[in-house]
Each structure stands twice: as C-alpha cells, then as structure tokens.
mmCIF file of all heavy atoms in Angstrom:
data_model
loop_
_atom_site.group_PDB
_atom_site.id
_atom_site.type_symbol
_atom_site.label_atom_id
_atom_site.label_comp_id
_atom_site.label_asym_id
_atom_site.label_seq_id
_atom_site.Cartn_x
_atom_site.Cartn_y
_atom_site.Cartn_z
ATOM 1 N N VAL R 1 -20.580 -10.993 9.691
ATOM 2 C CA VAL R 1 -21.827 -10.445 10.141
ATOM 3 C C VAL R 1 -22.976 -11.231 9.513
ATOM 4 O O VAL R 1 -23.237 -11.107 8.358
ATOM 5 C CB VAL R 1 -22.007 -8.970 9.828
ATOM 6 C CG1 VAL R 1 -23.358 -8.420 10.255
ATOM 7 C CG2 VAL R 1 -20.825 -8.124 10.415
ATOM 8 N N GLY R 2 -23.534 -12.166 10.277
ATOM 9 C CA GLY R 2 -24.562 -13.029 9.686
ATOM 10 C C GLY R 2 -23.939 -13.919 8.693
ATOM 11 O O GLY R 2 -22.916 -14.621 8.946
ATOM 12 N N ARG R 3 -24.397 -13.916 7.409
ATOM 13 C CA ARG R 3 -23.823 -14.753 6.423
ATOM 14 C C ARG R 3 -22.869 -13.946 5.512
ATOM 15 O O ARG R 3 -22.243 -14.535 4.645
ATOM 16 C CB ARG R 3 -24.976 -15.249 5.447
ATOM 17 C CG ARG R 3 -25.970 -16.153 6.132
ATOM 18 C CD ARG R 3 -27.072 -16.714 5.261
ATOM 19 N NE ARG R 3 -27.263 -15.910 4.072
ATOM 20 C CZ ARG R 3 -28.222 -16.114 3.187
ATOM 21 N NH1 ARG R 3 -29.010 -17.130 3.452
ATOM 22 N NH2 ARG R 3 -28.424 -15.376 2.174
ATOM 23 N N GLU R 4 -22.630 -12.713 5.826
ATOM 24 C CA GLU R 4 -21.758 -11.907 5.123
ATOM 25 C C GLU R 4 -20.378 -11.750 5.827
ATOM 26 O O GLU R 4 -20.220 -11.894 7.044
ATOM 27 C CB GLU R 4 -22.316 -10.525 4.838
ATOM 28 C CG GLU R 4 -23.511 -10.470 3.976
ATOM 29 C CD GLU R 4 -23.949 -9.051 3.660
ATOM 30 O OE1 GLU R 4 -23.805 -8.231 4.581
ATOM 31 O OE2 GLU R 4 -24.425 -8.834 2.590
ATOM 32 N N ARG R 5 -19.344 -11.430 4.966
ATOM 33 C CA ARG R 5 -18.057 -11.063 5.533
ATOM 34 C C ARG R 5 -17.774 -9.608 5.120
ATOM 35 O O ARG R 5 -17.814 -9.310 4.003
ATOM 36 C CB ARG R 5 -16.975 -11.920 5.023
ATOM 37 C CG ARG R 5 -16.618 -12.948 5.908
ATOM 38 C CD ARG R 5 -15.358 -13.715 5.561
ATOM 39 N NE ARG R 5 -15.458 -15.041 6.147
ATOM 40 C CZ ARG R 5 -15.289 -15.299 7.432
ATOM 41 N NH1 ARG R 5 -15.003 -14.374 8.176
ATOM 42 N NH2 ARG R 5 -15.425 -16.531 7.783
ATOM 43 N N LEU R 6 -17.560 -8.752 6.096
ATOM 44 C CA LEU R 6 -17.304 -7.385 5.824
ATOM 45 C C LEU R 6 -15.809 -7.122 5.995
ATOM 46 O O LEU R 6 -15.203 -7.586 6.906
ATOM 47 C CB LEU R 6 -18.070 -6.453 6.776
ATOM 48 C CG LEU R 6 -19.583 -6.670 6.729
ATOM 49 C CD1 LEU R 6 -20.232 -5.723 7.775
ATOM 50 C CD2 LEU R 6 -20.167 -6.447 5.378
ATOM 51 N N TRP R 7 -15.275 -6.455 5.000
ATOM 52 C CA TRP R 7 -13.769 -6.172 4.982
ATOM 53 C C TRP R 7 -13.529 -4.769 5.298
ATOM 54 O O TRP R 7 -14.181 -3.830 4.815
ATOM 55 C CB TRP R 7 -13.207 -6.555 3.592
ATOM 56 C CG TRP R 7 -13.334 -8.062 3.371
ATOM 57 C CD1 TRP R 7 -14.379 -8.699 2.695
ATOM 58 C CD2 TRP R 7 -12.312 -9.000 3.692
ATOM 59 N NE1 TRP R 7 -14.130 -10.016 2.696
ATOM 60 C CE2 TRP R 7 -12.855 -10.241 3.247
ATOM 61 C CE3 TRP R 7 -11.138 -8.990 4.303
ATOM 62 C CZ2 TRP R 7 -12.281 -11.491 3.452
ATOM 63 C CZ3 TRP R 7 -10.463 -10.202 4.512
ATOM 64 C CH2 TRP R 7 -10.983 -11.421 4.065
ATOM 65 N N ALA R 8 -12.478 -4.613 6.191
ATOM 66 C CA ALA R 8 -12.098 -3.258 6.489
ATOM 67 C C ALA R 8 -10.548 -3.094 6.305
ATOM 68 O O ALA R 8 -9.837 -4.039 6.486
ATOM 69 C CB ALA R 8 -12.461 -2.953 7.969
ATOM 70 N N PHE R 9 -10.196 -1.956 5.921
ATOM 71 C CA PHE R 9 -8.765 -1.608 5.696
ATOM 72 C C PHE R 9 -8.047 -1.540 7.058
ATOM 73 O O PHE R 9 -8.572 -1.018 8.010
ATOM 74 C CB PHE R 9 -8.682 -0.228 5.057
ATOM 75 C CG PHE R 9 -7.275 0.252 4.878
ATOM 76 C CD1 PHE R 9 -6.348 -0.424 4.109
ATOM 77 C CD2 PHE R 9 -6.799 1.378 5.517
ATOM 78 C CE1 PHE R 9 -5.103 0.012 3.937
ATOM 79 C CE2 PHE R 9 -5.595 1.955 5.393
ATOM 80 C CZ PHE R 9 -4.628 1.200 4.578
ATOM 81 N N GLU R 10 -6.953 -2.150 7.098
ATOM 82 C CA GLU R 10 -6.087 -2.193 8.348
ATOM 83 C C GLU R 10 -4.769 -1.397 8.119
ATOM 84 O O GLU R 10 -3.910 -1.862 7.491
ATOM 85 C CB GLU R 10 -5.753 -3.680 8.655
ATOM 86 C CG GLU R 10 -5.094 -3.875 10.020
ATOM 87 C CD GLU R 10 -5.977 -3.415 11.134
ATOM 88 O OE1 GLU R 10 -7.087 -3.901 11.236
ATOM 89 O OE2 GLU R 10 -5.487 -2.705 12.051
ATOM 90 N N PRO R 11 -4.794 -0.183 8.534
ATOM 91 C CA PRO R 11 -3.634 0.754 8.189
ATOM 92 C C PRO R 11 -2.328 0.427 8.869
ATOM 93 O O PRO R 11 -1.313 0.941 8.386
ATOM 94 C CB PRO R 11 -4.191 2.128 8.590
ATOM 95 C CG PRO R 11 -5.164 1.861 9.726
ATOM 96 C CD PRO R 11 -5.726 0.533 9.378
ATOM 97 N N ALA R 12 -2.309 -0.381 9.870
ATOM 98 C CA ALA R 12 -1.042 -0.520 10.627
ATOM 99 C C ALA R 12 0.059 -1.022 9.757
ATOM 100 O O ALA R 12 1.282 -0.490 9.881
ATOM 101 C CB ALA R 12 -1.310 -1.522 11.833
ATOM 102 N N HIS R 13 -0.111 -2.010 8.940
ATOM 103 C CA HIS R 13 0.977 -2.526 8.064
ATOM 104 C C HIS R 13 1.382 -1.494 7.003
ATOM 105 O O HIS R 13 2.494 -1.486 6.593
ATOM 106 C CB HIS R 13 0.592 -3.855 7.394
ATOM 107 C CG HIS R 13 0.519 -5.012 8.490
ATOM 108 N ND1 HIS R 13 1.686 -5.596 8.915
ATOM 109 C CD2 HIS R 13 -0.493 -5.603 9.079
ATOM 110 C CE1 HIS R 13 1.372 -6.475 9.793
ATOM 111 N NE2 HIS R 13 0.009 -6.493 9.908
ATOM 112 N N LEU R 14 0.318 -0.751 6.545
ATOM 113 C CA LEU R 14 0.705 0.238 5.561
ATOM 114 C C LEU R 14 1.526 1.390 6.219
ATOM 115 O O LEU R 14 2.487 1.881 5.620
ATOM 116 C CB LEU R 14 -0.582 0.811 4.930
ATOM 117 C CG LEU R 14 -0.513 1.436 3.576
ATOM 118 C CD1 LEU R 14 0.132 0.492 2.611
ATOM 119 C CD2 LEU R 14 -1.841 1.845 3.100
ATOM 120 N N ASP R 15 1.222 1.709 7.404
ATOM 121 C CA ASP R 15 2.068 2.668 8.194
ATOM 122 C C ASP R 15 3.515 2.116 8.367
ATOM 123 O O ASP R 15 4.452 2.860 8.295
ATOM 124 C CB ASP R 15 1.441 2.953 9.546
ATOM 125 C CG ASP R 15 0.140 3.756 9.417
ATOM 126 O OD1 ASP R 15 -0.074 4.468 8.379
ATOM 127 O OD2 ASP R 15 -0.658 3.745 10.360
ATOM 128 N N GLU R 16 3.599 0.796 8.637
ATOM 129 C CA GLU R 16 4.953 0.240 8.746
ATOM 130 C C GLU R 16 5.645 0.366 7.411
ATOM 131 O O GLU R 16 6.846 0.677 7.458
ATOM 132 C CB GLU R 16 4.746 -1.198 9.160
ATOM 133 C CG GLU R 16 6.044 -2.020 9.349
ATOM 134 C CD GLU R 16 5.652 -3.444 9.695
ATOM 135 O OE1 GLU R 16 4.716 -3.707 10.500
ATOM 136 O OE2 GLU R 16 6.432 -4.283 9.274
ATOM 137 N N ALA R 17 5.002 0.075 6.362
ATOM 138 C CA ALA R 17 5.650 0.216 5.024
ATOM 139 C C ALA R 17 6.035 1.647 4.791
ATOM 140 O O ALA R 17 7.169 1.941 4.209
ATOM 141 C CB ALA R 17 4.763 -0.347 3.918
ATOM 142 N N ARG R 18 5.251 2.584 5.176
ATOM 143 C CA ARG R 18 5.527 4.028 4.957
ATOM 144 C C ARG R 18 6.749 4.392 5.692
ATOM 145 O O ARG R 18 7.614 5.123 5.250
ATOM 146 C CB ARG R 18 4.283 4.894 5.353
ATOM 147 C CG ARG R 18 4.522 6.401 5.139
ATOM 148 C CD ARG R 18 3.398 7.195 5.771
ATOM 149 N NE ARG R 18 3.065 6.843 7.147
ATOM 150 C CZ ARG R 18 3.838 7.200 8.268
ATOM 151 N NH1 ARG R 18 4.883 7.831 8.061
ATOM 152 N NH2 ARG R 18 3.358 6.734 9.423
ATOM 153 N N ARG R 19 6.847 3.952 6.958
ATOM 154 C CA ARG R 19 8.049 4.271 7.769
ATOM 155 C C ARG R 19 9.273 3.645 7.221
ATOM 156 O O ARG R 19 10.371 4.295 7.210
ATOM 157 C CB ARG R 19 7.816 3.753 9.259
ATOM 158 C CG ARG R 19 6.870 4.573 10.041
ATOM 159 C CD ARG R 19 6.835 4.225 11.545
ATOM 160 N NE ARG R 19 6.432 2.799 11.743
ATOM 161 C CZ ARG R 19 5.148 2.442 11.908
ATOM 162 N NH1 ARG R 19 4.173 3.309 11.819
ATOM 163 N NH2 ARG R 19 4.949 1.138 12.164
ATOM 164 N N ALA R 20 9.192 2.455 6.675
ATOM 165 C CA ALA R 20 10.317 1.849 6.035
ATOM 166 C C ALA R 20 10.766 2.634 4.767
ATOM 167 O O ALA R 20 11.958 2.871 4.596
ATOM 168 C CB ALA R 20 10.054 0.461 5.634
ATOM 169 N N LEU R 21 9.813 3.050 4.004
ATOM 170 C CA LEU R 21 10.151 3.906 2.809
ATOM 171 C C LEU R 21 10.725 5.242 3.218
ATOM 172 O O LEU R 21 11.623 5.775 2.549
ATOM 173 C CB LEU R 21 8.939 4.106 1.908
ATOM 174 C CG LEU R 21 8.463 2.847 1.172
ATOM 175 C CD1 LEU R 21 7.122 3.137 0.437
ATOM 176 C CD2 LEU R 21 9.498 2.414 0.213
ATOM 177 N N GLU R 22 10.271 5.789 4.258
ATOM 178 C CA GLU R 22 10.813 7.105 4.738
ATOM 179 C C GLU R 22 12.234 6.926 5.201
ATOM 180 O O GLU R 22 13.104 7.773 4.913
ATOM 181 C CB GLU R 22 9.952 7.633 5.906
ATOM 182 C CG GLU R 22 8.699 8.224 5.429
ATOM 183 C CD GLU R 22 7.793 8.757 6.593
ATOM 184 O OE1 GLU R 22 8.158 8.550 7.755
ATOM 185 O OE2 GLU R 22 6.708 9.323 6.289
ATOM 186 N N ALA R 23 12.540 5.758 5.889
ATOM 187 C CA ALA R 23 13.893 5.528 6.283
ATOM 188 C C ALA R 23 14.871 5.388 5.048
ATOM 189 O O ALA R 23 15.922 5.867 5.112
ATOM 190 C CB ALA R 23 13.981 4.340 7.214
ATOM 191 N N ILE R 24 14.360 4.703 4.139
ATOM 192 C CA ILE R 24 15.233 4.436 2.890
ATOM 193 C C ILE R 24 15.367 5.856 2.194
ATOM 194 O O ILE R 24 16.526 6.159 1.704
ATOM 195 C CB ILE R 24 14.489 3.460 1.951
ATOM 196 C CG1 ILE R 24 14.548 2.094 2.558
ATOM 197 C CG2 ILE R 24 15.095 3.459 0.610
ATOM 198 C CD1 ILE R 24 13.700 1.078 1.837
ATOM 199 N N SER R 25 14.324 6.624 2.110
ATOM 200 C CA SER R 25 14.427 7.941 1.571
ATOM 201 C C SER R 25 15.452 8.834 2.268
ATOM 202 O O SER R 25 16.230 9.455 1.557
ATOM 203 C CB SER R 25 13.043 8.636 1.526
ATOM 204 O OG SER R 25 13.080 9.866 1.072
ATOM 205 N N GLN R 26 15.477 8.778 3.539
ATOM 206 C CA GLN R 26 16.462 9.538 4.296
ATOM 207 C C GLN R 26 17.861 9.104 4.062
ATOM 208 O O GLN R 26 18.789 9.967 3.901
ATOM 209 C CB GLN R 26 16.103 9.473 5.823
ATOM 210 C CG GLN R 26 14.847 10.284 6.204
ATOM 211 C CD GLN R 26 14.493 10.030 7.633
ATOM 212 O OE1 GLN R 26 15.177 9.306 8.402
ATOM 213 N NE2 GLN R 26 13.360 10.647 7.999
ATOM 214 N N GLN R 27 18.051 7.799 3.911
ATOM 215 C CA GLN R 27 19.400 7.187 3.597
ATOM 216 C C GLN R 27 19.847 7.725 2.228
ATOM 217 O O GLN R 27 20.982 8.089 2.029
ATOM 218 C CB GLN R 27 19.358 5.723 3.613
ATOM 219 C CG GLN R 27 19.190 5.116 4.995
ATOM 220 C CD GLN R 27 18.939 3.612 4.974
ATOM 221 O OE1 GLN R 27 18.747 3.044 3.920
ATOM 222 N NE2 GLN R 27 19.013 3.070 6.112
ATOM 223 N N TRP R 28 18.918 7.698 1.246
ATOM 224 C CA TRP R 28 19.221 8.173 -0.102
ATOM 225 C C TRP R 28 19.533 9.639 -0.061
ATOM 226 O O TRP R 28 20.529 10.145 -0.736
ATOM 227 C CB TRP R 28 18.130 7.912 -1.070
ATOM 228 C CG TRP R 28 18.276 6.518 -1.690
ATOM 229 C CD1 TRP R 28 17.491 5.413 -1.355
ATOM 230 C CD2 TRP R 28 19.171 6.141 -2.751
ATOM 231 N NE1 TRP R 28 17.975 4.330 -2.109
ATOM 232 C CE2 TRP R 28 18.940 4.804 -2.992
ATOM 233 C CE3 TRP R 28 20.081 6.830 -3.469
ATOM 234 C CZ2 TRP R 28 19.671 4.100 -3.887
ATOM 235 C CZ3 TRP R 28 20.827 6.088 -4.443
ATOM 236 C CH2 TRP R 28 20.586 4.771 -4.660
ATOM 237 N N ASP R 29 18.821 10.457 0.628
ATOM 238 C CA ASP R 29 19.036 11.866 0.766
ATOM 239 C C ASP R 29 20.415 12.142 1.318
ATOM 240 O O ASP R 29 21.177 13.009 0.767
ATOM 241 C CB ASP R 29 18.024 12.633 1.669
ATOM 242 C CG ASP R 29 16.692 12.656 1.032
ATOM 243 O OD1 ASP R 29 16.528 12.391 -0.188
ATOM 244 O OD2 ASP R 29 15.661 12.959 1.718
ATOM 245 N N ARG R 30 20.842 11.422 2.387
ATOM 246 C CA ARG R 30 22.191 11.601 2.918
ATOM 247 C C ARG R 30 23.214 11.197 1.969
ATOM 248 O O ARG R 30 24.245 11.886 1.811
ATOM 249 C CB ARG R 30 22.296 10.855 4.245
ATOM 250 C CG ARG R 30 21.477 11.432 5.400
ATOM 251 C CD ARG R 30 21.862 10.766 6.748
ATOM 252 N NE ARG R 30 21.492 9.404 6.793
ATOM 253 C CZ ARG R 30 20.331 8.833 7.208
ATOM 254 N NH1 ARG R 30 19.397 9.714 7.616
ATOM 255 N NH2 ARG R 30 20.154 7.582 7.167
ATOM 256 N N ALA R 31 22.983 10.062 1.212
ATOM 257 C CA ALA R 31 24.025 9.624 0.285
ATOM 258 C C ALA R 31 24.109 10.565 -0.879
ATOM 259 O O ALA R 31 25.251 10.955 -1.321
ATOM 260 C CB ALA R 31 23.596 8.223 -0.294
ATOM 261 N N LEU R 32 23.043 11.216 -1.336
ATOM 262 C CA LEU R 32 23.110 12.124 -2.402
ATOM 263 C C LEU R 32 23.754 13.419 -2.005
ATOM 264 O O LEU R 32 24.482 14.056 -2.785
ATOM 265 C CB LEU R 32 21.725 12.462 -3.038
ATOM 266 C CG LEU R 32 20.992 11.307 -3.750
ATOM 267 C CD1 LEU R 32 19.612 11.671 -4.096
ATOM 268 C CD2 LEU R 32 21.827 10.971 -5.012
ATOM 269 N N LEU R 33 23.606 13.853 -0.735
ATOM 270 C CA LEU R 33 24.226 15.023 -0.237
ATOM 271 C C LEU R 33 25.775 14.786 -0.146
ATOM 272 O O LEU R 33 26.575 15.667 -0.527
ATOM 273 C CB LEU R 33 23.731 15.412 1.172
ATOM 274 C CG LEU R 33 22.399 16.070 1.096
ATOM 275 C CD1 LEU R 33 21.876 16.308 2.573
ATOM 276 C CD2 LEU R 33 22.447 17.406 0.436
ATOM 277 N N ARG R 34 26.203 13.553 0.196
ATOM 278 C CA ARG R 34 27.556 13.258 0.216
ATOM 279 C C ARG R 34 28.172 13.243 -1.150
ATOM 280 O O ARG R 34 29.263 13.750 -1.420
ATOM 281 C CB ARG R 34 27.875 11.880 0.924
ATOM 282 C CG ARG R 34 27.614 11.908 2.430
ATOM 283 C CD ARG R 34 28.140 10.627 3.063
ATOM 284 N NE ARG R 34 27.593 9.394 2.553
ATOM 285 C CZ ARG R 34 26.484 8.784 2.953
ATOM 286 N NH1 ARG R 34 25.866 9.298 3.991
ATOM 287 N NH2 ARG R 34 26.115 7.656 2.461
#
C-alpha cells in the first residue's frame, strides 16, 4: 500500500496444521485405547 507493506495472517495453513494434529491425536487415542 503505497510505500508500505501490510501483513495479514493467513489462517489456511494453520488450519491444515490443526487438522494434521487432530488426525495424529485420534491415532494416539485409538492406540491408547488398544
């Protein structure tokens, strides 16, 4: 914007990381139940 650069958070990749962590968490939950 003019001579400045404005930075904004981009949540898409963080959401992707959250989904990956949730999948790992579910795998651990199943393994612990077994």
Side-chain angles (χ1 to χ4, degrees):
V1 178
R3 296 183 338 186
E4 293 185 325
R5 260 190 208 286
L6 303 177
W7 293 90
F9 175 64
E10 188 63 52
H13 288 283
L14 205 52
D15 289 339
E16 182 181 323
R18 180 189 48 77
R19 286 190 300 273
L21 288 174
E22 285 175 357
I24 291 169
S25 176
Q26 290 173 1
Q27 290 172 349
W28 272 102
D29 288 345
R30 288 190 298 269
L32 289 172
L33 285 174
R34 288 191 305 269

